[in-house]
Structure formats: C-alpha cells, structure tokens
Amino acid sequence: MRWPGRATRTREAPPGVSGTARIGRRGAGGADAAYLRRLGPGDVAVIDQVDLDRATATALLEAGVVGVVNAAPSISGRYPNLGPELLVHAGVTLVDDCGAAIFSDLADGTSVRLHDGAVHVGEREVVRGFAQDRDTVADLLEEARGGMAAQLEAFSANTSEFLARERSLLVDGVGVPAVATPMREKKVVVVAGSPGTAEEVRALKGFIREYSPVLIGVGEGADALRDAGHSPAIVLGTVAELDPVVARKARDVVVPADPDGFVTGLPRLQDLGVDPVAFPSSANPEDMALLLAHAHGAALVVAVGFDASLGGFLDRGRSGSIPSTFLTRLRLGPTLVDAPAVLALHHSRVSILTLVMLVLAVLATAVVAALALGAGPSLVLLLETGGRAVAQWATAVFRSVVG
C-alpha cells in the first residue's frame, strides 16, 4: 500500500557494465574457436592473451560481448596490434592486465560488474586491472610503433630458422600428402577463417559459379563456405578447429602433424567418422593449404581471408606464422592471387550470361519488329540478317572481354 504524501525511492543502478563472465583457458595465449563460440550477447569475456589481435577482437564483437577482462596486457608494446582499438571504439569495456588471479577468483557463469578498472561480484571487488579507453589505447599504440624494428629483426631470424627446418617442403614439396581431389591445371580457392571472410566468400559467388574451382576450407573457413552454400572439396585444420559435419562431407580431410606424423586428438576425429590424412609441417594451417594446392599443380590459387600486409603479419597473434606466410607466398609466386584482386578484375568483366541475355533481347526485338511488319518472307529474312549481326557483335565483345 502506498501512503499519501510519502516519496517513493528509486534505487539507482550501480555504475559500470554488468554481464555474465565466460572464462577462457588460463595461459592459452589466446581465445580459441571453441571458447569464442560459447560467447553470446551480454557476456563478459575473460581471456589471457598478450597483444590482443584484430581477429580475436572482431570475433568478440560479433559475439556481442559487453566487456573483456584480460589477465595479460592487451598491448605489450612489441608492435601496434589492432584488437584493443576495435573494442574500445565499439564501446566495449576493456579491463586490462588483471593477472592470473582472475581465473581462480572468478567462476564461469558468475554475474560481474566492470567499473573503473575493477571486476566486482555483487558489492565485492574481485580483482583490479587497468581500464583502457580510446586515449590510453592510442597512447600505447603510438609507443608500440617503436617496437616494429625489433619485430622485423626477429622476423629475419625466424625466417632463416623456418627455411632451414622446412627447406624440403618449400623447395621440393616433400611431406605434402596425397589427396583424392584433382587440382592439376585447375583454379583453387583457399578460404581461411578471419574477419571479413564471410563477405569475401559471398562476393566471390559469381567467380565460383563461373569457374567451378576446387574449394579448400581451412578451419573456420570451411564453415564460411558452408554458410555461403558451398561444399568444400578439402578441409584442413587442427582436430579442435574442424566441424565433423563439414569434414564428413568433404572428399579429403587434412590435419597438421608434428615431424613424426603424430596428430593430436586424431582418435576423437576418427570416432566421429572422419579419417584424415596427416600433413607434417610447422607451417600454419592456412599456408599448408596453399602449399597443398601448389604441390598438386593448381593453375591459380585464390586466397580468401588472408591479410598479407606487414600489419597483418604482425597482428596474426602467432609470431611463428610470419615466416611461414612470407616464404609460402614466395614459393607460390604468380600462382597466388588474393581475393580482393580477383573481385576487382572479375566484377569489371562482362559475364557470358550477360552476353547471352543481350543476344536474346536483341533477337526478341527482331521478332517483334518482324511480326509488326507481317509474317512471311520478311520475318525469315529479318531473323537471318539480325541473327548474323548479333552473333558477330557478341563474338567481338566476347573476344575483347576474355582475350
């Protein structure tokens, strides 16, 4: 019962952002695909990743998280990584460099509140880190640009080590597994899972329809192909990355192995009805897929979801992947083309279907005109004359476009 004249108090919400904590693996060095799939709108991601990369940040944004708690520094200063900037510009609260205690002090599924660099459970402060915002991230990135020279020096040393370790693979293709899918003199599209992959796959729909290339899905790239309505002929990735449903439909399944051919988690994949072939190499899975296509004689390899810029190399989150990617691109040479270039060239072309439609439209106009003049010899003569003219015109246009 509300008494007359008595004011009603409204309890103010506590400051900060509230959500459900989702705990990643401690010391995992990053957010793996299985963890990212667990996240949903309103969650607070609790991770342990030094130098938060763009791919992880994009996945967190796509999941709809309202906050990120990082046990490690999201920008260490080694190089200007792009993940933290994406998060803070999207309005996601970033509590940084909390320390490993967050994994023992916080349980998965707990309701938490982030405010002023602290993580609260109810009224209790569980752990305190550093509250990142646009200004702090901008300052740290500016300082990190000074670390580029050291990273390039490390890149040079790592490249020499990788080349010594994988010389026979890069030069002679030793270790590349045999597959049932023929690729010799064919176009091959290799799709890696990364920000923008889904859009690139959708944009390549016309190219795929016209040329029917061999499709290779790498990790979540195979899922992107499936979601776009395509079935990859080959899927490649670690056991943890592969979707068994997609893998069972592929003609070939390839998994990375150590130099002795050992595949982590292989029995689990076989229990799910998938019998893969091993690819022993220290290269990253995306580069394995490129080398696989090249070794099997692909005429053209289109890379989808790859960032070959210097910033992209450094922002991959795996320093060992940089020499792998660099040397793989040198090995493929002119055989390798990135998807944006293919899209630019392919969209500027007049497709064969367009030519056919134009021919039919002109012939239809000729028929209508002939009927208007009256049936009989005039119709036949007009169709013959118009048909020859249209055929000559279409041939000239086709040769100018294709040749």
Side-chain angles (χ1 to χ4, degrees), residues 113-168:
R113 179 171 58 90
L114 311 181
H115 175 60
D116 197 23
V119 180
H120 299 266
V121 176
E123 300 298 324
R124 181 172 61 94
E125 180 180 304
V126 176
V127 70
R128 176 169 288 275
F130 179 73
Q132 296 280 18
D133 57 29
R134 293 191 178 197
D135 292 336
T136 60
V137 167
D139 291 342
L140 288 171
L141 290 179
E142 184 62 31
E143 293 177 8
R145 289 186 176 90
M148 291 282 285
Q151 288 299 303
L152 290 175
E153 290 178 6
F155 162 69
S156 177
N158 291 337
T159 300
S160 299
E161 292 177 5
F162 184 84
L163 181 59
R165 188 169 59 248
E166 299 287 358
R167 184 190 307 273
S168 58

Side-chain angles (χ1 to χ4, degrees), residues 190 216 218 236 279 284-296 298 301-304 306 325 328-329 332 336:
V190 178
I216 302 179
V218 184
L236 190 153
F279 192 155
N284 63 60
E286 296 92 338
D287 298 329
M288 286 184 185
L290 298 178
L291 292 169
L292 180 73
H294 182 71
H296 286 278
V301 181
V302 179
V304 181
F306 291 69
T325 301
T328 296
R329 286 182 167 267
L332 268 70
L336 179 63

Side-chain angles (χ1 to χ4, degrees), residues 312-396:
F313 279 170
L314 296 177
D315 199 47
R316 295 283 290 275
R318 294 170 295 177
S319 60
S321 72
I322 301 175
S324 168
T325 301
F326 175 71
L327 291 173
T328 296
R329 286 182 167 267
L330 282 181
R331 183 67 184 95
L332 268 70
T335 304
L336 179 63
V337 182
D338 288 297
V342 173
L343 289 172
L345 294 172
H346 189 257
H347 285 174
S348 67
R349 299 176 59 235
V350 180
S351 68
I352 295 176
L353 177 61
T354 302
L355 290 175
V356 172
M357 296 300 294
L358 286 172
V359 170
L360 292 178
V362 173
L363 288 178
T365 303
V367 171
V368 172
L371 290 175
L373 294 174
S378 60
L379 174 62
V380 176
L381 178 62
L382 185 58
L383 287 176
E384 288 180 349
T385 304
R388 284 196 298 269
V390 169
Q392 292 171 356
W393 168 80
T395 301

Side-chain angles (χ1 to χ4, degrees), residues 100-122:
I102 187 68
F103 292 99
S104 56
D105 294 343
L106 194 63
D108 190 81
T110 303
S111 294
V112 298
R113 179 171 58 90
L114 311 181
H115 175 60
D116 197 23
V119 180
H120 299 266
V121 176

Side-chain angles (χ1 to χ4, degrees), residues 82-95:
L82 306 176
E85 186 176 46
L86 287 179
L87 292 178
V88 297
H89 279 263
V92 174
T93 300
L94 176 58
V95 179

